[in-house]
Amino acid sequence: MTKRDATRLRIALQKEGRLAEWSVELLRGMGLEFETYKRRLISRCRNFDIDLLFLRDDDIPEYVQDGVVDLGIVGNNLVQECAAEVETLAPLGFGYCTLQIAVPEASAVRDVKQLQGLRVATTYPKMCARFLQAKGVTAEIIPIMGSVEITPSLDVADAICDLVSTGSTLEMHNLLSIATVMESEAVLVANRASRSGKAWNGRITQLIDRLHGVLQARAKKYVMLNAPSAAIPEIRAVISGRKSPTIVPLADPAMVAVHAVVEEDLFWEKMERLKAVGASDILVMTIEKMIA
Ligand code: PRT
Ligand code: ZN
């Protein structure tokens, strides 16, 4: 690892893999300008005193814990497995997966308790062991580096504990999930001393504020619609956001235009209710940033 430049904050992100593109997109959304050409180890931000380090994801929790870097973007699954002593600043809304215990479809095992005395192969030995222990089950944990899903067919293990996102790997290998050990997504983590110390606290707080601006914008849509003036009370009841909607009169005095920010998760339900009370010409726009 290159020697630290004490005047520049360091952020670690995955070099290649499932989190890499999302992490770069998020940091760019937060206004950081940098190159990713061939993902060299270090990329200097042009507009901030920040260096980005492109690393294997497995190394990130410990590098953050040890202060090799100040911040890291990594799956919470790895943070928990390493039991890294870091401060989790925010979940990031990508890299969703679950750590699950699965058995061959042909197996008689259908409950975690039945794993007593059996072999469980996993790349997450610590979390798997903690989970089984909490259930009062003593099993033989077999740590594996990769391709955990093939271990039952090789008779290396009776069950596996692995990450699942779509579930197609389990299905392809005729494996059936019997328990969820944890739900995970990518998180922003900070070195404790960097977060609390004078040198970087201000810069980290600034980055967290920007991050919230990006995440909030993603969770919302900007909606413009036309509606009969008489429907304003019903429309306001549907769009019960933090702020009241903007109501603009139209040339036709019986009609108004309504502009509002709507939560993405209830989006379709709200659109259907708005149409039902007379809204028309509904335009929906992505919000790039949102600053409270
Ligand atoms: O090279 P490097 O060490 O950095 O990368 P890696 O190959 O170890 O990691 P990578 O890119 O595969 O995963 C990085 C992070 O993405 C993980 O730590 C999780 O936080 C998150 N993530 C989200 C996943 C998955 N979904 C996922 N499906 N990580 C791995 N998988 C694997 C899983 O292990 C299994 O082999 O995908 C397979 C199952 O996928 P489905 O879709 O068939 O269920
Ligand atoms: Zn890895």
Side-chain angles (χ1 to χ4, degrees), residues 14-19 55-58 74-78 95-97 123-124 149 162-170 184-186:
Q14 192 188 25
K15 183 182 168 79
E16 270 172 297
R18 287 185 161 84
L19 307 181
L55 304 171
R56 286 208 53 194
D57 65 347
D58 312 66
V74 67
N76 193 25
N77 47 300
L78 285 181
Y96 288 109
C97 54
T123 40
Y124 291 85
E149 63 278 2
D162 197 13
L163 295 179
V164 175
S165 51
T166 62
S168 53
T169 303
L170 290 187
S184 181
E185 69 185 281

PDB file of all heavy atoms in Angstrom, residues 14-19 55-58 74-78 95-97 123-124 149 162-170 184-186, ligand 1:
ATOM      1  N   GLN A  14     -14.840  -1.113  -4.335  1.00  0.00           N
ATOM      2  CA  GLN A  14     -14.464  -2.364  -4.993  1.00  0.00           C
ATOM      3  C   GLN A  14     -13.914  -2.077  -6.394  1.00  0.00           C
ATOM      4  O   GLN A  14     -14.487  -1.290  -7.140  1.00  0.00           O
ATOM      5  CB  GLN A  14     -15.695  -3.280  -5.092  1.00  0.00           C
ATOM      6  CG  GLN A  14     -15.325  -4.695  -5.497  1.00  0.00           C
ATOM      7  CD  GLN A  14     -16.544  -5.564  -5.782  1.00  0.00           C
ATOM      8  OE1 GLN A  14     -17.612  -5.066  -6.116  1.00  0.00           O
ATOM      9  NE2 GLN A  14     -16.367  -6.867  -5.664  1.00  0.00           N
ATOM     10  N   LYS A  15     -12.814  -2.751  -6.715  1.00  0.00           N
ATOM     11  CA  LYS A  15     -12.147  -2.522  -8.003  1.00  0.00           C
ATOM     12  C   LYS A  15     -12.977  -3.086  -9.152  1.00  0.00           C
ATOM     13  O   LYS A  15     -13.230  -2.422 -10.142  1.00  0.00           O
ATOM     14  CB  LYS A  15     -10.780  -3.201  -7.934  1.00  0.00           C
ATOM     15  CG  LYS A  15      -9.885  -3.036  -9.137  1.00  0.00           C
ATOM     16  CD  LYS A  15      -8.606  -3.835  -8.865  1.00  0.00           C
ATOM     17  CE  LYS A  15      -7.745  -4.001 -10.092  1.00  0.00           C
ATOM     18  NZ  LYS A  15      -6.958  -2.808 -10.393  1.00  0.00           N
ATOM     19  N   GLU A  16     -13.388  -4.349  -9.014  1.00  0.00           N
ATOM     20  CA  GLU A  16     -14.211  -5.001 -10.039  1.00  0.00           C
ATOM     21  C   GLU A  16     -15.211  -5.877  -9.324  1.00  0.00           C
ATOM     22  O   GLU A  16     -14.886  -6.459  -8.301  1.00  0.00           O
ATOM     23  CB  GLU A  16     -13.338  -5.930 -10.894  1.00  0.00           C
ATOM     24  CG  GLU A  16     -12.732  -5.251 -12.087  1.00  0.00           C
ATOM     25  CD  GLU A  16     -11.735  -6.173 -12.755  1.00  0.00           C
ATOM     26  OE1 GLU A  16     -10.735  -6.515 -12.102  1.00  0.00           O
ATOM     27  OE2 GLU A  16     -11.982  -6.557 -13.888  1.00  0.00           O
ATOM     28  N   GLY A  17     -16.394  -5.998  -9.895  1.00  0.00           N
ATOM     29  CA  GLY A  17     -17.383  -6.889  -9.283  1.00  0.00           C
ATOM     30  C   GLY A  17     -18.718  -6.212  -9.139  1.00  0.00           C
ATOM     31  O   GLY A  17     -18.956  -5.131  -9.693  1.00  0.00           O
ATOM     32  N   ARG A  18     -19.570  -6.828  -8.362  1.00  0.00           N
ATOM     33  CA  ARG A  18     -20.980  -6.414  -8.284  1.00  0.00           C
ATOM     34  C   ARG A  18     -21.179  -4.993  -7.761  1.00  0.00           C
ATOM     35  O   ARG A  18     -22.157  -4.350  -8.088  1.00  0.00           O
ATOM     36  CB  ARG A  18     -21.741  -7.365  -7.369  1.00  0.00           C
ATOM     37  CG  ARG A  18     -21.985  -8.701  -7.983  1.00  0.00           C
ATOM     38  CD  ARG A  18     -22.853  -9.529  -7.071  1.00  0.00           C
ATOM     39  NE  ARG A  18     -23.472 -10.612  -7.796  1.00  0.00           N
ATOM     40  CZ  ARG A  18     -22.891 -11.771  -8.037  1.00  0.00           C
ATOM     41  NH1 ARG A  18     -21.672 -11.997  -7.618  1.00  0.00           N
ATOM     42  NH2 ARG A  18     -23.531 -12.704  -8.712  1.00  0.00           N
ATOM     43  N   LEU A  19     -20.269  -4.510  -6.894  1.00  0.00           N
ATOM     44  CA  LEU A  19     -20.498  -3.194  -6.283  1.00  0.00           C
ATOM     45  C   LEU A  19     -19.757  -2.077  -7.018  1.00  0.00           C
ATOM     46  O   LEU A  19     -19.994  -0.892  -6.756  1.00  0.00           O
ATOM     47  CB  LEU A  19     -20.051  -3.205  -4.813  1.00  0.00           C
ATOM     48  CG  LEU A  19     -20.628  -4.317  -3.927  1.00  0.00           C
ATOM     49  CD1 LEU A  19     -20.117  -4.164  -2.510  1.00  0.00           C
ATOM     50  CD2 LEU A  19     -22.146  -4.307  -3.956  1.00  0.00           C
ATOM     51  N   LEU A  55     -10.034  -1.542  -4.579  1.00  0.00           N
ATOM     52  CA  LEU A  55      -9.513  -2.717  -3.872  1.00  0.00           C
ATOM     53  C   LEU A  55     -10.425  -3.929  -4.040  1.00  0.00           C
ATOM     54  O   LEU A  55     -11.556  -3.799  -4.504  1.00  0.00           O
ATOM     55  CB  LEU A  55      -9.424  -2.414  -2.363  1.00  0.00           C
ATOM     56  CG  LEU A  55      -8.612  -1.202  -1.935  1.00  0.00           C
ATOM     57  CD1 LEU A  55      -8.812  -0.942  -0.452  1.00  0.00           C
ATOM     58  CD2 LEU A  55      -7.137  -1.417  -2.236  1.00  0.00           C
ATOM     59  N   ARG A  56      -9.950  -5.108  -3.614  1.00  0.00           N
ATOM     60  CA  ARG A  56     -10.832  -6.274  -3.500  1.00  0.00           C
ATOM     61  C   ARG A  56     -11.763  -6.008  -2.322  1.00  0.00           C
ATOM     62  O   ARG A  56     -11.340  -5.506  -1.277  1.00  0.00           O
ATOM     63  CB  ARG A  56     -10.009  -7.534  -3.241  1.00  0.00           C
ATOM     64  CG  ARG A  56      -9.274  -7.991  -4.480  1.00  0.00           C
ATOM     65  CD  ARG A  56      -9.055  -9.469  -4.445  1.00  0.00           C
ATOM     66  NE  ARG A  56     -10.309 -10.196  -4.213  1.00  0.00           N
ATOM     67  CZ  ARG A  56     -10.370 -11.465  -3.869  1.00  0.00           C
ATOM     68  NH1 ARG A  56      -9.262 -12.153  -3.709  1.00  0.00           N
ATOM     69  NH2 ARG A  56     -11.528 -12.051  -3.687  1.00  0.00           N
ATOM     70  N   ASP A  57     -13.011  -6.359  -2.489  1.00  0.00           N
ATOM     71  CA  ASP A  57     -13.984  -6.003  -1.451  1.00  0.00           C
ATOM     72  C   ASP A  57     -13.648  -6.605  -0.080  1.00  0.00           C
ATOM     73  O   ASP A  57     -13.871  -5.979   0.948  1.00  0.00           O
ATOM     74  CB  ASP A  57     -15.423  -6.354  -1.873  1.00  0.00           C
ATOM     75  CG  ASP A  57     -15.657  -7.838  -2.037  1.00  0.00           C
ATOM     76  OD1 ASP A  57     -14.674  -8.620  -2.078  1.00  0.00           O
ATOM     77  OD2 ASP A  57     -16.838  -8.231  -2.111  1.00  0.00           O
ATOM     78  N   ASP A  58     -13.047  -7.811  -0.097  1.00  0.00           N
ATOM     79  CA  ASP A  58     -12.743  -8.499   1.169  1.00  0.00           C
ATOM     80  C   ASP A  58     -11.793  -7.704   2.062  1.00  0.00           C
ATOM     81  O   ASP A  58     -11.808  -7.846   3.276  1.00  0.00           O
ATOM     82  CB  ASP A  58     -12.096  -9.860   0.879  1.00  0.00           C
ATOM     83  CG  ASP A  58     -12.860 -10.627  -0.170  1.00  0.00           C
ATOM     84  OD1 ASP A  58     -12.887 -10.154  -1.339  1.00  0.00           O
ATOM     85  OD2 ASP A  58     -13.456 -11.645   0.166  1.00  0.00           O
ATOM     86  N   VAL A  74     -18.812  -1.004   0.888  1.00  0.00           N
ATOM     87  CA  VAL A  74     -18.654  -2.465   0.909  1.00  0.00           C
ATOM     88  C   VAL A  74     -19.958  -3.116   1.358  1.00  0.00           C
ATOM     89  O   VAL A  74     -20.792  -2.458   1.994  1.00  0.00           O
ATOM     90  CB  VAL A  74     -17.463  -2.829   1.855  1.00  0.00           C
ATOM     91  CG1 VAL A  74     -17.759  -2.497   3.299  1.00  0.00           C
ATOM     92  CG2 VAL A  74     -17.068  -4.287   1.713  1.00  0.00           C
ATOM     93  N   GLY A  75     -20.133  -4.392   1.029  1.00  0.00           N
ATOM     94  CA  GLY A  75     -21.328  -5.114   1.471  1.00  0.00           C
ATOM     95  C   GLY A  75     -21.341  -5.253   2.988  1.00  0.00           C
ATOM     96  O   GLY A  75     -20.313  -5.578   3.587  1.00  0.00           O
ATOM     97  N   ASN A  76     -22.513  -5.015   3.577  1.00  0.00           N
ATOM     98  CA  ASN A  76     -22.620  -5.166   5.034  1.00  0.00           C
ATOM     99  C   ASN A  76     -22.298  -6.602   5.441  1.00  0.00           C
ATOM    100  O   ASN A  76     -21.822  -6.849   6.549  1.00  0.00           O
ATOM    101  CB  ASN A  76     -24.038  -4.766   5.482  1.00  0.00           C
ATOM    102  CG  ASN A  76     -24.129  -4.595   6.981  1.00  0.00           C
ATOM    103  OD1 ASN A  76     -23.121  -4.319   7.642  1.00  0.00           O
ATOM    104  ND2 ASN A  76     -25.310  -4.786   7.518  1.00  0.00           N
ATOM    105  N   ASN A  77     -22.535  -7.554   4.544  1.00  0.00           N
ATOM    106  CA  ASN A  77     -22.212  -8.951   4.818  1.00  0.00           C
ATOM    107  C   ASN A  77     -20.737  -9.114   5.187  1.00  0.00           C
ATOM    108  O   ASN A  77     -20.405  -9.847   6.125  1.00  0.00           O
ATOM    109  CB  ASN A  77     -22.566  -9.834   3.608  1.00  0.00           C
ATOM    110  CG  ASN A  77     -22.087  -9.269   2.283  1.00  0.00           C
ATOM    111  OD1 ASN A  77     -22.485  -8.168   1.901  1.00  0.00           O
ATOM    112  ND2 ASN A  77     -21.230  -9.990   1.594  1.00  0.00           N
ATOM    113  N   LEU A  78     -19.848  -8.380   4.480  1.00  0.00           N
ATOM    114  CA  LEU A  78     -18.414  -8.501   4.785  1.00  0.00           C
ATOM    115  C   LEU A  78     -18.060  -7.775   6.081  1.00  0.00           C
ATOM    116  O   LEU A  78     -17.224  -8.238   6.851  1.00  0.00           O
ATOM    117  CB  LEU A  78     -17.571  -7.955   3.631  1.00  0.00           C
ATOM    118  CG  LEU A  78     -17.485  -8.854   2.395  1.00  0.00           C
ATOM    119  CD1 LEU A  78     -16.612  -8.210   1.330  1.00  0.00           C
ATOM    120  CD2 LEU A  78     -16.926 -10.225   2.762  1.00  0.00           C
ATOM    121  N   GLY A  95     -26.552  -3.547  -4.146  1.00  0.00           N
ATOM    122  CA  GLY A  95     -25.840  -4.731  -3.645  1.00  0.00           C
ATOM    123  C   GLY A  95     -26.699  -5.564  -2.707  1.00  0.00           C
ATOM    124  O   GLY A  95     -26.192  -6.222  -1.806  1.00  0.00           O
ATOM    125  N   TYR A  96     -28.017  -5.519  -2.941  1.00  0.00           N
ATOM    126  CA  TYR A  96     -28.925  -6.272  -2.067  1.00  0.00           C
ATOM    127  C   TYR A  96     -28.693  -7.772  -2.211  1.00  0.00           C
ATOM    128  O   TYR A  96     -28.571  -8.288  -3.328  1.00  0.00           O
ATOM    129  CB  TYR A  96     -30.385  -6.005  -2.429  1.00  0.00           C
ATOM    130  CG  TYR A  96     -30.868  -4.629  -2.045  1.00  0.00           C
ATOM    131  CD1 TYR A  96     -31.114  -3.678  -3.025  1.00  0.00           C
ATOM    132  CD2 TYR A  96     -31.079  -4.302  -0.714  1.00  0.00           C
ATOM    133  CE1 TYR A  96     -31.566  -2.416  -2.682  1.00  0.00           C
ATOM    134  CE2 TYR A  96     -31.531  -3.039  -0.368  1.00  0.00           C
ATOM    135  CZ  TYR A  96     -31.773  -2.103  -1.354  1.00  0.00           C
ATOM    136  OH  TYR A  96     -32.214  -0.860  -1.004  1.00  0.00           O
ATOM    137  N   CYS A  97     -28.632  -8.491  -1.115  1.00  0.00           N
ATOM    138  CA  CYS A  97     -28.559  -9.950  -1.137  1.00  0.00           C
ATOM    139  C   CYS A  97     -28.901 -10.459   0.263  1.00  0.00           C
ATOM    140  O   CYS A  97     -29.030  -9.656   1.201  1.00  0.00           O
ATOM    141  CB  CYS A  97     -27.170 -10.441  -1.553  1.00  0.00           C
ATOM    142  SG  CYS A  97     -25.831  -9.763  -0.588  1.00  0.00           S
ATOM    143  N   THR A 123     -18.504 -19.434   2.701  1.00  0.00           N
ATOM    144  CA  THR A 123     -17.447 -18.412   2.683  1.00  0.00           C
ATOM    145  C   THR A 123     -17.668 -17.430   3.842  1.00  0.00           C
ATOM    146  O   THR A 123     -16.930 -16.462   3.976  1.00  0.00           O
ATOM    147  CB  THR A 123     -17.447 -17.642   1.341  1.00  0.00           C
ATOM    148  OG1 THR A 123     -18.788 -17.410   0.951  1.00  0.00           O
ATOM    149  CG2 THR A 123     -16.745 -18.409   0.254  1.00  0.00           C
ATOM    150  N   TYR A 124     -18.705 -17.659   4.620  1.00  0.00           N
ATOM    151  CA  TYR A 124     -19.012 -16.800   5.772  1.00  0.00           C
ATOM    152  C   TYR A 124     -19.022 -17.620   7.064  1.00  0.00           C
ATOM    153  O   TYR A 124     -20.054 -17.731   7.730  1.00  0.00           O
ATOM    154  CB  TYR A 124     -20.366 -16.091   5.541  1.00  0.00           C
ATOM    155  CG  TYR A 124     -20.252 -15.081   4.440  1.00  0.00           C
ATOM    156  CD1 TYR A 124     -20.405 -15.466   3.105  1.00  0.00           C
ATOM    157  CD2 TYR A 124     -19.916 -13.763   4.718  1.00  0.00           C
ATOM    158  CE1 TYR A 124     -20.234 -14.550   2.081  1.00  0.00           C
ATOM    159  CE2 TYR A 124     -19.746 -12.848   3.690  1.00  0.00           C
ATOM    160  CZ  TYR A 124     -19.912 -13.247   2.380  1.00  0.00           C
ATOM    161  OH  TYR A 124     -19.730 -12.340   1.374  1.00  0.00           O
ATOM    162  N   GLU A 149     -21.746 -23.573  -3.822  1.00  0.00           N
ATOM    163  CA  GLU A 149     -22.951 -24.295  -4.255  1.00  0.00           C
ATOM    164  C   GLU A 149     -22.682 -25.705  -4.775  1.00  0.00           C
ATOM    165  O   GLU A 149     -23.585 -26.529  -4.819  1.00  0.00           O
ATOM    166  CB  GLU A 149     -23.705 -23.467  -5.315  1.00  0.00           C
ATOM    167  CG  GLU A 149     -22.977 -23.202  -6.619  1.00  0.00           C
ATOM    168  CD  GLU A 149     -21.991 -22.041  -6.575  1.00  0.00           C
ATOM    169  OE1 GLU A 149     -21.811 -21.430  -5.507  1.00  0.00           O
ATOM    170  OE2 GLU A 149     -21.375 -21.763  -7.626  1.00  0.00           O
ATOM    171  N   ASP A 162     -24.620 -19.388   1.912  1.00  0.00           N
ATOM    172  CA  ASP A 162     -24.048 -18.548   0.853  1.00  0.00           C
ATOM    173  C   ASP A 162     -24.965 -17.359   0.563  1.00  0.00           C
ATOM    174  O   ASP A 162     -26.143 -17.364   0.945  1.00  0.00           O
ATOM    175  CB  ASP A 162     -23.870 -19.382  -0.421  1.00  0.00           C
ATOM    176  CG  ASP A 162     -22.920 -18.709  -1.420  1.00  0.00           C
ATOM    177  OD1 ASP A 162     -22.212 -17.748  -1.048  1.00  0.00           O
ATOM    178  OD2 ASP A 162     -22.893 -19.159  -2.586  1.00  0.00           O
ATOM    179  N   LEU A 163     -24.393 -16.384  -0.150  1.00  0.00           N
ATOM    180  CA  LEU A 163     -25.190 -15.217  -0.553  1.00  0.00           C
ATOM    181  C   LEU A 163     -26.125 -15.600  -1.698  1.00  0.00           C
ATOM    182  O   LEU A 163     -25.760 -16.380  -2.576  1.00  0.00           O
ATOM    183  CB  LEU A 163     -24.287 -14.079  -1.010  1.00  0.00           C
ATOM    184  CG  LEU A 163     -23.374 -13.462   0.045  1.00  0.00           C
ATOM    185  CD1 LEU A 163     -22.513 -12.367  -0.575  1.00  0.00           C
ATOM    186  CD2 LEU A 163     -24.183 -12.916   1.217  1.00  0.00           C
ATOM    187  N   VAL A 164     -27.311 -15.019  -1.667  1.00  0.00           N
ATOM    188  CA  VAL A 164     -28.317 -15.271  -2.694  1.00  0.00           C
ATOM    189  C   VAL A 164     -28.859 -13.922  -3.127  1.00  0.00           C
ATOM    190  O   VAL A 164     -29.156 -13.072  -2.282  1.00  0.00           O
ATOM    191  CB  VAL A 164     -29.478 -16.123  -2.115  1.00  0.00           C
ATOM    192  CG1 VAL A 164     -30.588 -16.295  -3.143  1.00  0.00           C
ATOM    193  CG2 VAL A 164     -28.969 -17.487  -1.636  1.00  0.00           C
ATOM    194  N   SER A 165     -28.963 -13.695  -4.442  1.00  0.00           N
ATOM    195  CA  SER A 165     -29.715 -12.501  -4.864  1.00  0.00           C
ATOM    196  C   SER A 165     -30.925 -12.908  -5.686  1.00  0.00           C
ATOM    197  O   SER A 165     -32.054 -12.756  -5.246  1.00  0.00           O
ATOM    198  CB  SER A 165     -28.836 -11.456  -5.550  1.00  0.00           C
ATOM    199  OG  SER A 165     -28.070 -12.002  -6.565  1.00  0.00           O
ATOM    200  N   THR A 166     -30.733 -13.463  -6.897  1.00  0.00           N
ATOM    201  CA  THR A 166     -31.912 -13.871  -7.672  1.00  0.00           C
ATOM    202  C   THR A 166     -32.409 -15.252  -7.253  1.00  0.00           C
ATOM    203  O   THR A 166     -33.560 -15.602  -7.499  1.00  0.00           O
ATOM    204  CB  THR A 166     -31.581 -13.938  -9.178  1.00  0.00           C
ATOM    205  OG1 THR A 166     -30.569 -14.926  -9.374  1.00  0.00           O
ATOM    206  CG2 THR A 166     -31.105 -12.610  -9.689  1.00  0.00           C
ATOM    207  N   GLY A 167     -31.550 -16.077  -6.682  1.00  0.00           N
ATOM    208  CA  GLY A 167     -31.933 -17.441  -6.310  1.00  0.00           C
ATOM    209  C   GLY A 167     -31.649 -18.440  -7.417  1.00  0.00           C
ATOM    210  O   GLY A 167     -31.833 -19.643  -7.233  1.00  0.00           O
ATOM    211  N   SER A 168     -31.148 -17.956  -8.575  1.00  0.00           N
ATOM    212  CA  SER A 168     -30.961 -18.899  -9.693  1.00  0.00           C
ATOM    213  C   SER A 168     -29.817 -19.876  -9.447  1.00  0.00           C
ATOM    214  O   SER A 168     -29.868 -21.010  -9.911  1.00  0.00           O
ATOM    215  CB  SER A 168     -30.809 -18.164 -11.020  1.00  0.00           C
ATOM    216  OG  SER A 168     -29.798 -17.217 -10.912  1.00  0.00           O
ATOM    217  N   THR A 169     -28.785 -19.467  -8.713  1.00  0.00           N
ATOM    218  CA  THR A 169     -27.680 -20.400  -8.421  1.00  0.00           C
ATOM    219  C   THR A 169     -28.184 -21.567  -7.572  1.00  0.00           C
ATOM    220  O   THR A 169     -27.884 -22.726  -7.852  1.00  0.00           O
ATOM    221  CB  THR A 169     -26.529 -19.663  -7.689  1.00  0.00           C
ATOM    222  OG1 THR A 169     -26.112 -18.582  -8.506  1.00  0.00           O
ATOM    223  CG2 THR A 169     -25.349 -20.575  -7.414  1.00  0.00           C
ATOM    224  N   LEU A 170     -28.983 -21.254  -6.560  1.00  0.00           N
ATOM    225  CA  LEU A 170     -29.556 -22.330  -5.729  1.00  0.00           C
ATOM    226  C   LEU A 170     -30.381 -23.269  -6.597  1.00  0.00           C
ATOM    227  O   LEU A 170     -30.239 -24.491  -6.538  1.00  0.00           O
ATOM    228  CB  LEU A 170     -30.448 -21.751  -4.618  1.00  0.00           C
ATOM    229  CG  LEU A 170     -29.770 -20.983  -3.486  1.00  0.00           C
ATOM    230  CD1 LEU A 170     -30.791 -20.644  -2.399  1.00  0.00           C
ATOM    231  CD2 LEU A 170     -28.620 -21.778  -2.886  1.00  0.00           C
ATOM    232  N   SER A 184     -28.565  -8.171   3.469  1.00  0.00           N
ATOM    233  CA  SER A 184     -27.430  -7.254   3.307  1.00  0.00           C
ATOM    234  C   SER A 184     -27.625  -6.308   2.127  1.00  0.00           C
ATOM    235  O   SER A 184     -28.387  -6.594   1.212  1.00  0.00           O
ATOM    236  CB  SER A 184     -26.152  -8.077   3.100  1.00  0.00           C
ATOM    237  OG  SER A 184     -25.041  -7.230   2.975  1.00  0.00           O
ATOM    238  N   GLU A 185     -26.920  -5.190   2.200  1.00  0.00           N
ATOM    239  CA  GLU A 185     -26.782  -4.289   1.055  1.00  0.00           C
ATOM    240  C   GLU A 185     -25.463  -3.553   1.253  1.00  0.00           C
ATOM    241  O   GLU A 185     -24.820  -3.684   2.305  1.00  0.00           O
ATOM    242  CB  GLU A 185     -27.956  -3.311   0.973  1.00  0.00           C
ATOM    243  CG  GLU A 185     -28.009  -2.284   2.076  1.00  0.00           C
ATOM    244  CD  GLU A 185     -29.275  -1.412   2.001  1.00  0.00           C
ATOM    245  OE1 GLU A 185     -29.305  -0.495   1.188  1.00  0.00           O
ATOM    246  OE2 GLU A 185     -30.203  -1.666   2.789  1.00  0.00           O
ATOM    247  N   ALA A 186     -25.048  -2.807   0.238  1.00  0.00           N
ATOM    248  CA  ALA A 186     -23.808  -2.054   0.371  1.00  0.00           C
ATOM    249  C   ALA A 186     -23.988  -0.945   1.411  1.00  0.00           C
ATOM    250  O   ALA A 186     -25.084  -0.384   1.539  1.00  0.00           O
ATOM    251  CB  ALA A 186     -23.417  -1.446  -0.969  1.00  0.00           C
TER     252      ALA A 186
HETATM  253  O1  PRT B   1     -12.850  -9.471  -6.495  1.00  0.00           O
HETATM  254  P1  PRT B   1     -13.614  -9.160  -5.262  1.00  0.00           P
HETATM  255  O2  PRT B   1     -13.154  -9.958  -4.061  1.00  0.00           O
HETATM  256  O3  PRT B   1     -13.657  -7.672  -4.996  1.00  0.00           O
HETATM  257  O4  PRT B   1     -15.136  -9.538  -5.580  1.00  0.00           O
HETATM  258  P2  PRT B   1     -16.017 -10.806  -5.160  1.00  0.00           P
HETATM  259  O5  PRT B   1     -16.082 -11.712  -6.348  1.00  0.00           O
HETATM  260  O6  PRT B   1     -15.604 -11.368  -3.854  1.00  0.00           O
HETATM  261  O7  PRT B   1     -17.394 -10.118  -4.884  1.00  0.00           O
HETATM  262  P3  PRT B   1     -18.686  -9.887  -5.789  1.00  0.00           P
HETATM  263  O8  PRT B   1     -18.432  -8.796  -6.768  1.00  0.00           O
HETATM  264  O9  PRT B   1     -19.225 -11.183  -6.310  1.00  0.00           O
HETATM  265  O10 PRT B   1     -19.691  -9.382  -4.651  1.00  0.00           O
HETATM  266  C1  PRT B   1     -19.466  -8.194  -3.966  1.00  0.00           C
HETATM  267  C2  PRT B   1     -20.619  -7.945  -3.010  1.00  0.00           C
HETATM  268  O11 PRT B   1     -21.848  -7.914  -3.746  1.00  0.00           O
HETATM  269  C3  PRT B   1     -20.876  -9.020  -1.974  1.00  0.00           C
HETATM  270  O12 PRT B   1     -20.021  -8.920  -0.856  1.00  0.00           O
HETATM  271  C4  PRT B   1     -22.327  -8.733  -1.591  1.00  0.00           C
HETATM  272  O13 PRT B   1     -22.363  -7.667  -0.662  1.00  0.00           O
HETATM  273  C5  PRT B   1     -22.924  -8.254  -2.911  1.00  0.00           C
HETATM  274  N1  PRT B   1     -23.757  -9.270  -3.591  1.00  0.00           N
HETATM  275  C6  PRT B   1     -25.038  -9.057  -4.002  1.00  0.00           C
HETATM  276  C7  PRT B   1     -23.421 -10.521  -3.942  1.00  0.00           C
HETATM  277  C8  PRT B   1     -24.528 -11.075  -4.571  1.00  0.00           C
HETATM  278  N2  PRT B   1     -25.507 -10.141  -4.601  1.00  0.00           N
HETATM  279  C9  PRT B   1     -24.454 -12.417  -5.086  1.00  0.00           C
HETATM  280  N3  PRT B   1     -25.441 -12.916  -5.648  1.00  0.00           N
HETATM  281  N4  PRT B   1     -22.265 -11.229  -3.808  1.00  0.00           N
HETATM  282  C10 PRT B   1     -22.206 -12.481  -4.300  1.00  0.00           C
HETATM  283  N5  PRT B   1     -23.249 -13.107  -4.925  1.00  0.00           N
HETATM  284  C11 PRT B   1     -22.984 -14.488  -5.451  1.00  0.00           C
HETATM  285  C12 PRT B   1     -23.244 -15.582  -4.418  1.00  0.00           C
HETATM  286  O14 PRT B   1     -22.081 -15.809  -3.636  1.00  0.00           O
HETATM  287  C13 PRT B   1     -23.585 -16.788  -5.314  1.00  0.00           C
HETATM  288  O15 PRT B   1     -22.409 -17.368  -5.810  1.00  0.00           O
HETATM  289  O16 PRT B   1     -23.850 -14.786  -6.538  1.00  0.00           O
HETATM  290  C14 PRT B   1     -24.304 -16.139  -6.461  1.00  0.00           C
HETATM  291  C15 PRT B   1     -25.787 -16.179  -6.190  1.00  0.00           C
HETATM  292  O17 PRT B   1     -26.479 -15.278  -7.008  1.00  0.00           O
HETATM  293  P4  PRT B   1     -27.955 -15.584  -7.504  1.00  0.00           P
HETATM  294  O18 PRT B   1     -28.374 -14.375  -8.253  1.00  0.00           O
HETATM  295  O19 PRT B   1     -27.882 -16.796  -8.410  1.00  0.00           O
HETATM  296  O20 PRT B   1     -28.823 -15.845  -6.310  1.00  0.00           O
END
